[in-house]
Amino acid sequence: KGGGKLVGTARIPGSKSISNRALLLAALCKGQTVLKGILDSDDVKVMSDCLRQLGVSICTNVDADGDVRVTVRGCAGALKSQTEFDEADPKNTAC
């Protein structure tokens, strides 16, 4: 049984698998999560686009250190359903 708020910082290595998992976990959380050091790859961009189609707000920027910084506003597990995915569709990419 949960109850406490999780607060902290973790450095994510440039890994496709870890980056995609971090995006998914952030999407399922309640509130805003900032991920720094996410891998800049096609697979990670496709995951971000799919999460956007499910109603998750995701903004990607490069910070002053040159690291990719992704801000995810999670949906607390309430993802949209009945969505068809098209990884080439650029809709819902505005920050």
Side-chain angles (χ1 to χ4, degrees):
K1 189 172 183 180
K5 183 177 180 180
L6 181 62
V7 178
T9 302
R11 176 95 172 137
I12 299 169
S15 161
K16 174 182 68 173
S17 296
I18 292 173
S19 294
N20 281 337
R21 289 180 183 132
L23 283 169
L24 182 57
L25 289 172
L28 293 173
C29 288
K30 181 180 179 182
Q32 180 174 297
T33 302
V34 178
L35 304 171
K36 183 176 179 182
I38 293 290
L39 183 66
D40 184 18
S41 74
D42 289 340
D43 289 337
V44 174
K45 289 174 186 171
V46 168
M47 173 65 88
S48 295
D49 290 342
C50 290
L51 291 170
R52 284 184 185 101
Q53 291 180 38
L54 290 169
V56 178
S57 172
I58 300 176
C59 279
T60 304
N61 297 295
V62 178
D63 67 15
D65 298 329
D67 288 325
V68 176
R69 183 180 299 260
V70 179
T71 303
V72 181
R73 178 149 318 270
C75 62
L79 297 171
K80 291 181 182 177
S81 61
Q82 305 286 325
T83 302
E84 292 184 30
F85 295 98
D86 178 6
E87 62 269 7
D89 187 355
K91 69 181 177 183
N92 298 324
T93 58
C95 294

